[in-house]
Amino acid sequence: MIGGYRPGVGTRAGRIRSLLVGVPTSAGLRYAGRVGSGLRERDAERLLARLDAIAMVESPFLEVPETDAADAVWVEPEIVGEIEFGEWTRTGVARHPRWRGLRPDKRPDEVVEER
């Protein structure tokens, strides 16, 4: 689930630098990392408009590393996407994530962590 994004800087201002994603748990939305690889420019433009429409002040995640949270734009975690990645790190973050795309066929309550 997308819970926020980090905006682009410099010549990439006004664009998405990376998406901040998470997995729902019984305690809340667990941060699973940031993903920028695989996000196509055209798709990112459309997604940015959707994300800005659901922006919020507070982080929807249980915890986020300060380096990722510093410039984050938080959003209501209602958009489901899919990533592929190498493995889970010992801290529970996806290693080498790559964006696969939106999953309009899945509702937020259907999202589960795959190990």
Side-chain angles (χ1 to χ4, degrees):
M1 298 181 64
I2 301 172
Y5 69 91
R6 295 182 71 198
V9 295
T11 60
R12 304 236 355 117
R15 298 180 178 151
I16 296 172
R17 180 170 54 183
S18 60
L19 296 170
L20 305 177
V21 297
V23 178
T25 68
S26 59
L29 190 61
R30 184 183 64 74
Y31 183 68
R34 62 180 189 260
V35 58
S37 178
L39 189 58
R40 294 186 305 244
E41 198 65 36
R42 187 173 190 178
D43 295 337
E45 288 175 12
R46 285 189 223 131
L47 183 55
L48 181 59
R50 286 183 66 188
L51 294 174
D52 285 343
I54 57 173
M56 55 191 268
V57 176
E58 297 290 321
S59 169
F61 299 105
L62 296 169
E63 293 181 37
V64 180
E66 183 57 38
T67 55
D68 293 348
D71 61 350
V73 176
W74 307 118
V75 301
E76 292 284 343
E78 59 188 50
I79 299 176
V80 177
E82 182 176 358
I83 63 170
E84 60 184 4
F85 57 97
E87 64 184 348
W88 291 107
T89 66
R90 61 181 165 75
T91 59
V93 173
R95 187 181 311 276
H96 307 300
R98 179 171 172 75
W99 181 251
R100 298 270 324 246
L102 294 175
R103 290 294 307 263
D105 59 316
K106 287 211 179 258
R107 295 186 322 265
D109 63 338
E110 295 177 312
V111 175
V112 295
E113 178 180 325
E114 295 179 6
R115 289 258 173 191

